[in-house]
Amino acid sequence: MERGEGDFLKDRYWDSPAFREATDISADRTERREGEKVPHEPSGLIENYLDRFSEITDREDPEKRERGIAAIERLVERKFVIIPDNISDDYIKNVLIGNEAEILGYEREEMKDEQIAQTVLSSLEGKINSSLDTYTVPIELRKSLEDMIIIDQTSRMKQWLSYLTGEESRYIPAAFRYWAFAEMLKQGDYDPVRGEYNKRTDTTVAIFPELDQQALALVLDEVQRRRSGQPPALSTGDHESQAKLRELLQDENFGKLYAFMQEHVRSLKLPSERLVVTEGEWKVFPQGSQPRDLTAPIESFQTKWCIAGEGHAKTYLNSSDVWVYFSQDADGQNTIPRACVVDQKGHGITEVRGIIFNEEVKQHLDDYITPVVDEKLKEMAGGEEWVDRMEDMKKLRELHFKYLQEQPLNKDDLIFLYELNHSIQSTGYGQDPRISELRSQRNPEADMPIVFECEPSQIAHSIGEINEDTKACVGPIAEQERNPISDEWELKPEYKNVIQKLAHLEHIYTNFPEGKIDRSELTIGGVTVDQMKREMRERKITIGSRIAEFTLDSTPTLEDPEDITLIRLKVGSLGFTRTPTTEEFYARAEEIGLELCPTETGPHQRLKDTEQPLGESYRIAIKQIDDRNDYPDVFHLVHDVDGLCLHLHLAYSVRRWNLDERFVFCLRPSTKPGAGNVSPVPEIPQPSS
């Protein structure tokens, strides 16, 4: 904890009863757990509070860190993400108008024209057969839109929290990280006229501000410089804006400073017309270099790199060599930053970044520079760990060029683009923007027969359409309805044991391409836990923590081998429209014909699934096992920067799961293809009226 951090937050939040209460609770916990007396004055209480905050975010144990950050996420979500009751009918109706305008091909700015606005309104009212003023939005439609708003807000909030608790922000004093996150949560939608964010209220439906790492780094750098008595390092290029920067730094209003820095970053050079030119050179900024040496040649460009700020640059150079590729500008000089590779001493290559971005994703490699980066990585120690990512980048580059040249895509191309076998790995934040660009030009209905190698008529879109010629089913495997007597949501009768009706099909999707239902075989039993642990060590598979190892040690195993069939699916595949509890989710899975996996499935599947893509994870649906702290857990299979890992994940019976979470269940033996009581083409009962 740096001196003065307590004073920094005291000036801003000590008048808040909620903040003071939080520091008191933190002090009480410190005194009870560690027996240390916390100074009961503002700075001491705040610095203790920040120590507890850092203890959570900077934990080395990945499971403990994940649990701590998840707890922060839940707290922030409850307090700051809008609740359905606060989403007005007028807003929902405006969304419907916006959707109708998009269908008719109108842009947002065009809706300012009264005639166009009336055309859109008339079209919408014709579809809903009602005046919009008196229209009652159907409950299911409203819930769908509410979920969309809440998911968007939650997703953006998590982006900020992940960044401010991640490796790239470790150098930032905890007080400044806390300040940035707390103030971001107060910002509503952006007002381009005033160049500021509106104040967020309980009824604000706008998502939180865009996370721009370059702009945020500049804010935090300049505020820290001011507080240490240094003048601004940023030169905006004109006297008026420079004066405004000094004024904003004097007030230290995060929202206004961040909006100012975002506008500054947007004004920088974005050499899109020069991307085709790749002649240039790699320049290395060795560990121990002066931060200004690194920031000076990139500060005039809109890279979205955090190392454009001297504070971030200093931290990187304390432990890493930073390689930057500069391509030629119009004068033939190597000045345009195109790619960055971070070689951290003792850890190898930790980051590879480009300059392609949109509002949601950042720092991806462009088509033209990908081969240059690929060749550089091949000659660097540790570059072999990036082979799979770079292969995906090269394949995506190939498809993008095919699209630009209007060439057709084949089956293998489509399987890759739709990420049917694995998620496309990238080098930036979020999904590579070329994926959505390419998919937006595709017609999934036309692509499905190519992928499934069948006729369109051989693809069923409901269980009632399945016949002896069916090769694939793309439709719901579970839908729910409200019981008029109990007022509870229940599975519709026609979906009871639906897995039995689908078991003989090779391709099953709830929707294409995101809703794939994966089926695989696994042999369990026949080996001891000690043998599995030994094999994990030999293959450099990590057991996430001592708690995970303790739990693994107590896992029962079968004496003889046994083959089981696994089904991997998303929580949302089971027909839920709201996040279900573990108990609800497990019960629904049983209703459709699945069952919980044997406990030892987790370590066996971890040893088998060596092709798990980097960044992906899924959980094994088992009867929860109590760890040594008496927490109910399930096994969690992860592939992160540390490699393949076997973790635990809390699974209280009342815990709620996001609809995109993935779980693995067992296929009930009687539903396996070829089982004695299952005919090759099962009889499909008709849905009840």
Side-chain angles (χ1 to χ4, degrees):
M1 176 65 61
E2 296 184 9
R3 294 175 59 86
E5 287 192 52
D7 289 334
F8 177 72
L9 293 189
K10 172 178 173 289
D11 295 342
R12 284 152 183 78
Y13 303 121
W14 197 247
D15 289 339
S16 165
F19 183 76
R20 292 201 304 272
E21 180 182 6
T23 63
D24 284 338
I25 293 173
S26 179
D28 181 61
R29 288 177 177 170
T30 297
E31 291 173 347
R32 282 190 289 108
R33 287 172 54 187
E34 301 177 10
E36 296 180 3
K37 184 67 177 176
V38 176
H40 278 253
E41 45 82 24
S43 294
L45 288 169
I46 294 172
E47 290 184 7
N48 173 75
Y49 177 60
L50 290 174
D51 283 337
R52 311 307 294 177
F53 176 74
S54 297
E55 181 186 328
I56 294 173
T57 62
D58 299 345
R59 286 171 177 164
E60 295 300 326
D61 186 314
E63 287 182 16
K64 290 183 178 180
R65 183 175 180 276
E66 180 183 348
R67 292 181 182 186
I69 293 177
I72 297 173
E73 284 180 0
R74 291 193 295 271
L75 177 65
V76 173
E77 189 171 351
R78 286 196 302 269
K79 188 172 182 180
F80 293 98
V81 172
I82 195 168
I83 61 175
D85 289 348
N86 287 342
I87 301 174
S88 69
D89 284 339
D90 285 343
Y91 181 80
I92 295 292
K93 291 177 180 180
N94 281 333
V95 171
L96 298 179
I97 291 175
N99 291 344
E100 186 65 20
E102 185 176 347
I103 291 172
L104 296 177
Y106 292 112
E107 300 289 341
R108 179 179 298 181
E109 287 299 311
E110 294 179 288
M111 289 295 291
K112 295 178 181 179
D113 184 291
E114 290 186 12
Q115 186 173 352
I116 292 176
Q118 185 58 49
T119 298
V120 173
L121 178 62
S122 298
S123 177
L124 176 60
E125 290 180 338
K127 291 180 178 179
I128 62 178
N129 198 28
S130 167
S131 166
L132 189 60
D133 290 337
T134 59
Y135 178 60
T136 300
V137 180
I139 293 177
E140 285 303 309
L141 176 58
R142 180 180 176 87
K143 285 182 177 179
S144 174
L145 294 174
E146 288 170 353
D147 285 344
M148 177 189 70
I149 294 165
I150 291 169
I151 289 171
D152 286 348
Q153 286 193 2
T154 303
S155 175
R156 184 64 67 80
M157 175 272 290
K158 288 182 177 180
Q159 286 179 21
W160 279 81
L161 183 61
S162 176
Y163 180 73
L164 289 170
T165 58
E167 285 293 331
E168 288 189 50
S169 297
R170 288 285 178 93
Y171 96 92
I172 305 170
F176 290 88
R177 286 189 278 165
Y178 180 96
W179 173 63
F181 188 67
E183 293 301 312
M184 177 279 297
L185 293 171
K186 298 177 182 178
Q187 312 305 315
D189 52 344
Y190 181 70
D191 185 339
V193 176
R194 294 187 299 117
E196 298 177 7
Y197 287 97
N198 293 317
K199 184 178 179 180
R200 181 172 290 273
T201 69
D202 289 343
T203 60
T204 300
V205 293
I207 59 176
F208 295 105
E210 169 195 0
L211 173 60
D212 183 329
Q213 288 90 337
Q214 187 174 0
L216 180 60
L218 293 174
V219 170
L220 296 174
D221 279 355
E222 294 297 355
V223 170
Q224 290 181 79
R225 288 178 65 85
R226 177 189 175 276
R227 296 190 70 81
S228 62
Q230 301 178 66
L234 177 67
S235 175
T236 61
D238 69 88
H239 177 75
E240 183 178 348
S241 60
Q242 200 72 32
K244 183 177 180 181
L245 173 60
R246 288 194 295 269
E247 178 185 336
L248 293 175
L249 286 171
Q250 190 69 28
D251 293 339
E252 291 184 349
N253 181 301
F254 176 84
K256 292 182 179 180
L257 271 169
Y258 186 61
F260 177 89
M261 292 303 186
Q262 283 184 296
E263 287 297 326
H264 170 70
V265 170
R266 292 187 191 109
S267 72
L268 299 177
K269 300 172 187 174
L270 183 61
S272 53
E273 75 285 352
R274 298 287 303 175
L275 295 185
V276 68
V277 179
T278 59
E279 289 80 2
E281 64 176 325
W282 286 99
K283 294 182 182 179
V284 61
F285 300 88
Q287 179 184 10
S289 300
Q290 291 299 311
R292 187 61 185 161
D293 294 343
L294 175 56
T295 61
I298 66 177
E299 66 183 4
S300 298
F301 293 87
Q302 189 177 171
T303 60
K304 301 293 184 179
W305 297 346
C306 63
I307 55 172
E310 288 191 26
H312 278 80
K314 179 180 179 181
T315 302
Y316 274 76
L317 293 171
N318 281 340
S319 61
S320 308
D321 293 340
V322 179
W323 293 80
V324 178
Y325 189 79
F326 294 90
S327 62
Q328 290 182 0
D329 58 24
D331 297 323
Q333 301 299 308
N334 300 327
T335 63
I336 300 175
R338 296 286 294 279
C340 174
V341 176
V342 179
D343 185 4
Q344 187 176 2
K345 301 305 182 183
H347 295 275
I349 298 170
T350 56
E351 294 179 41
V352 177
R353 306 297 190 198
I355 62 171
I356 297 301
F357 66 90
N358 60 29
E359 186 174 339
E360 292 300 323
V361 299
K362 311 284 189 298
Q363 303 179 20
H364 290 274
L365 297 174
D366 65 78
D367 289 325
Y368 302 97
I369 210 65
T370 295
V372 176
V373 176
D374 185 47
E375 288 303 313
K376 182 64 179 176
L377 291 174
K378 287 177 180 177
E379 69 182 43
M380 296 179 70
E384 65 277 1
E385 297 181 9
W386 290 77
V387 169
D388 289 343
R389 288 203 208 190
M390 293 310 299
E391 286 300 318
D392 279 2
M393 290 297 92
K394 288 187 286 185
K395 179 65 176 178
L396 187 57
R397 171 181 183 261
E398 174 191 330
L399 298 195
H400 198 225
F401 280 143
K402 277 190 174 183
Y403 157 66
L404 295 175
Q405 296 164 7
E406 299 183 350
Q407 296 179 8
L409 302 188
N410 59 35
K411 175 187 173 182
D412 290 339
D413 294 338
L414 294 173
I415 288 175
F416 176 83
L417 177 61
Y418 285 127
E419 302 178 284
L420 301 185
N421 291 338
H422 75 278
S423 296
I424 298 173
Q425 300 179 67
S426 63
T427 56
Y429 289 95
Q431 187 187 65
D432 192 295
R434 289 172 294 183
I435 298 173
S436 56
E437 179 187 358
L438 290 170
R439 285 194 189 179
S440 69
Q441 305 302 314
R442 306 297 305 180
N443 178 359
E445 288 291 328
D447 287 340
M448 284 192 292
I450 300 174
V451 171
F452 301 148
E453 296 184 315
C454 67
E455 297 298 321
S457 61
Q458 295 176 301
I459 302 174
H461 294 281
S462 70
I463 59 171
E465 294 181 3
I466 298 175
N467 57 45
E468 62 274 11
D469 292 326
T470 302
K471 302 294 185 184
C473 182
V474 181
I477 63 168
E479 288 184 337
Q480 58 186 13
E481 60 186 359
R482 192 183 291 276
N483 186 314
I485 299 175
S486 66
D487 202 36
E488 297 290 331
W489 287 99
E490 298 178 349
L491 185 70
K492 290 183 178 180
E494 60 265 35
Y495 292 101
K496 296 285 186 179
N497 295 313
V498 69
I499 295 297
Q500 178 177 350
K501 305 160 190 173
L502 302 170
H504 65 294
L505 298 179
E506 182 179 354
H507 307 288
I508 307 171
Y509 289 75
T510 54
N511 55 75
F512 184 85
E514 293 84 4
K516 185 179 182 181
I517 308 297
D518 285 306
R519 182 166 53 207
S520 62
E521 302 300 318
L522 179 70
T523 300
I524 62 173
V527 295
T528 66
V529 168
D530 284 342
Q531 288 173 314
M532 288 191 283
K533 286 170 60 178
R534 188 182 312 118
E535 187 174 353
M536 287 185 195
R537 286 194 295 269
E538 292 172 354
R539 293 161 59 179
K540 296 185 173 15
I541 295 174
T542 304
I543 299 173
S545 67
R546 290 181 180 176
I547 296 177
E549 186 157 4
F550 172 86
T551 305
L552 181 57
D553 286 339
S554 61
T555 298
T557 59
L558 296 172
E559 185 173 342
D560 298 319
E562 178 180 315
D563 293 332
I564 60 175
T565 300
L566 303 181
I567 300 292
R568 187 181 346 178
L569 44 69
K570 293 181 180 179
V571 174
S573 299
L574 299 189
F576 297 107
T577 56
R578 294 293 180 94
T579 54
T581 64
T582 307
E583 185 176 356
E584 292 168 340
F585 177 48
Y586 277 9
R588 178 64 58 79
E590 182 179 1
E591 285 186 284
I592 71 165
L594 300 174
E595 63 182 14
L596 298 181
C597 299
T599 306
E600 64 180 295
T601 301
H604 280 288
Q605 178 67 5
R606 177 67 292 166
L607 286 167
K608 179 185 178 184
D609 189 6
T610 57
E611 300 300 319
Q612 183 180 13
L614 181 66
E616 284 198 355
S617 68
Y618 57 91
R619 295 157 186 83
I620 308 297
I622 58 175
K623 179 176 172 49
Q624 298 96 314
I625 45 179
D626 289 338
D627 60 31
R628 67 182 181 187
N629 294 325
D630 293 328
Y631 293 136
D633 293 309
V634 297
F635 284 115
H636 186 197
L637 277 60
V638 176
H639 185 186
D640 57 21
V641 292
D642 295 320
L644 297 173
C645 306
L646 179 67
H647 288 299
L648 295 177
H649 203 288
L650 277 174
Y652 292 108
S653 61
V654 295
R655 175 179 182 149
R656 294 194 173 273
W657 298 94
N658 291 333
L659 300 183
D660 283 335
E661 303 267 21
R662 293 182 182 272
F663 272 81
V664 167
F665 286 87
C666 255
L667 188 64
R668 194 177 296 156
S670 62
T671 66
K672 291 183 181 180
N677 63 340
V678 181
S679 59
V681 182
E683 181 181 350
I684 308 300
Q686 293 301 309
S688 59
S689 58

